[in-house]
Amino acid sequence: MARTPTDVLVVGGGIIGLAVAWRTAQRGLSTALLDPDPGRGAAQVAAGMLAPVTELQYGEEPLLRLGTASNARYAAFAAELEDASGLPTGYRACGTLAVALDADDRAELRELHAFHRRLGLESDWLTGREARRLEPMLAPSVSGGLLASDDHQVDGRRVGAALVEACRRAGVELVRGSAQRLLVAGGRAVGAAVDDGGELHAGQVVLAAGSRSHLLPGLPEGVLPPVRPVKGQVLRLRVPPVYAPFLSRNVRAVVRGHHVYLVPRADGELVVGATTEEMGYDTTVTAGGVYELLRDAHALVPGITELPLVETGAGLRPGSPDNAPLLGPTALDGLVAATGHHRNGVLLTPVTGDLVAAYLATGRVPDLAAPFLPTRFARTTRTTAAQEAQR
Ligand code: GLY
């Protein structure tokens, strides 16, 4: 089937691809998005914590800059998206309380707090009693905490549905189908073959297919580093009105080396996440995963055992080799990446949409995106080879 070429084709309709398509269409570029079911993807499972401070890892300061930039845009992004779509996003500016359960946890959290302060981040130390005053459902064993007042939450499912509608209203052509192959002609990406036998042609192609991005047939070798799937199992509980407010903000901890967090939505959903498993493309919910999450969440907030468990699920975080996203032009002309967001996909959606659309419209890489070019891995390889040659 012959289709009219567009300025931009986005391959992948998770919230990252949708945000890129929405922002690109707003800049006046004709835009198509290819996905069998736009709005699905990892954000369907994600808890939606917007946590640049409490997810910070040592040595990831460039990612922190990107995360805080995206977080600063979130309230306006959510308001604009709700206005553009007529749908809610579940954005909730509630803050996050990270707590410690024993002396070792407390020492580690203290170090993290000192690191936050050195970086000038919003992070306040609390005693166990102060933490429980904020969240009375916390276990008596909570011995200290750190309040990150700017780490909020949004509902990834609602963001997905709102972005689909906003894209539709902005004139994005939503093509329901799977990309069978990247089309390359004259050393340039020119579109994608679709599983209905047709082809979509475009001036620029954006690869936003999450943990499957590097698997697209036709992608020349070395253009995109591997994006590995990092499984996360997540539970959804419901807080009956009689127990509300069960928790007033996101609560998290590291329990026996496992990250566990509880994200209470305004509508009564309580999301408990998440395991971190390198299991390939497996999304099975396991008894062990559910057990681990309930055990660790129970250690933090014993009262969760009273709540109905309404859903279990597993999603795949797209992890790049350095766990930071791949944003902007690749080594293949015409091919632009918006993938590899690992633990931060929901958080980084607004900034990714803005930065990638800016590049598509102007041909210039915004400063904020420069550390995240997909070519950074090729550069390392080339530098190492050059150093070897000089020996
Ligand atoms: N951002 C939380 C997670 O990936 O589990």
Side-chain angles (χ1 to χ4, degrees), residues 109-324:
L109 205 57
R110 271 278 190 205
E111 266 182 45
L112 189 63
H113 176 246
F115 184 46
H116 289 161
R117 301 309 290 181
R118 282 201 297 282
L119 294 170
L121 298 170
E122 199 58 54
S123 171
D124 294 312
W125 185 258
L126 304 177
T127 62
R129 185 175 299 184
E130 286 167 336
R132 274 190 298 279
R133 203 172 296 137
L134 287 182
E135 294 295 348
M137 297 304 285
L138 284 174
S141 52
V142 165
S143 62
L146 175 165
L147 181 65
S149 319
D150 291 339
D151 278 11
H152 302 315
Q153 62 162 286
V154 75
D155 186 333
R157 292 179 175 177
R158 292 183 191 271
V159 171
L163 278 169
V164 169
E165 183 58 19
C167 278
R168 204 184 57 74
R169 292 187 187 184
V172 175
E173 188 190 346
L174 296 168
V175 182
R176 286 176 189 270
S178 296
Q180 294 293 82
R181 187 164 41 88
L182 181 71
L183 299 176
V184 179
R188 193 182 163 84
V190 294
V194 186
D195 59 352
D196 66 2
E199 292 186 347
L200 289 165
H201 290 263
Q204 301 183 82
V205 178
V206 179
L207 196 43
S211 60
R212 297 190 180 272
S213 294
H214 66 297
L215 299 179
L216 183 59
L219 194 63
E221 205 176 319
V223 163
L224 206 72
V227 181
R228 68 191 197 288
V230 183
K231 178 177 174 180
Q233 301 189 46
V234 172
L235 314 177
R236 283 175 158 79
L237 287 69
R238 179 142 296 282
V239 178
V242 59
Y243 290 134
F246 188 77
L247 294 174
S248 304
R249 54 185 61 68
N250 308 328
V251 170
R252 64 183 303 160
V254 179
V255 183
R256 296 181 204 89
H258 302 286
H259 285 272
V260 63
Y261 45 80
L262 292 88
V263 177
R265 303 229 193 276
D267 65 5
E269 184 174 78
L270 178 67
V271 187
V272 178
T275 63
T276 301
E277 303 164 71
E278 306 259 356
M279 301 283 292
Y281 292 92
D282 164 49
T283 51
T284 312
V285 175
T286 63
V290 174
Y291 168 71
E292 178 190 308
L293 289 171
L294 286 176
R295 179 196 62 196
D296 296 345
H298 174 257
L300 276 190
V301 180
I304 61 152
T305 49
E306 302 298 319
L307 305 180
L309 171 62
V310 292
E311 192 184 322
T312 59
L316 300 173
R317 307 172 183 91
S320 75
D322 62 4
N323 292 332

Side-chain angles (χ1 to χ4, degrees), residues 187-188 220-224 328-337 374-375 378 382:
R188 193 182 163 84
E221 205 176 319
V223 163
L224 206 72
T330 66
L332 178 65
D333 276 352
L335 185 71
V336 175
T375 45
R382 272 204 301 274

Side-chain angles (χ1 to χ4, degrees), residues 9-98:
L9 167 65
V10 180
V11 175
I15 63 172
I16 293 288
L18 286 163
V20 170
W22 182 41
R23 290 307 197 199
T24 303
Q26 285 179 321
R27 283 175 168 265
L29 301 181
S30 60
T31 307
L33 179 141
L34 177 61
D35 193 282
D37 194 2
R40 306 290 302 174
Q44 286 293 312
V45 177
M49 246 186 331
L50 307 174
V53 175
T54 52
E55 290 262 307
L56 177 65
Q57 305 285 321
Y58 296 102
E60 289 190 346
E61 286 85 342
L63 186 57
L64 171 71
R65 276 192 290 282
L66 193 68
T68 48
S70 203
N71 207 24
R73 292 171 199 213
Y74 234 105
F77 171 83
E80 184 186 347
L81 181 56
E82 292 186 357
D83 200 41
S85 65
L87 295 169
T89 61
Y91 177 73
R92 189 176 183 198
C94 58
T96 295
L97 181 60

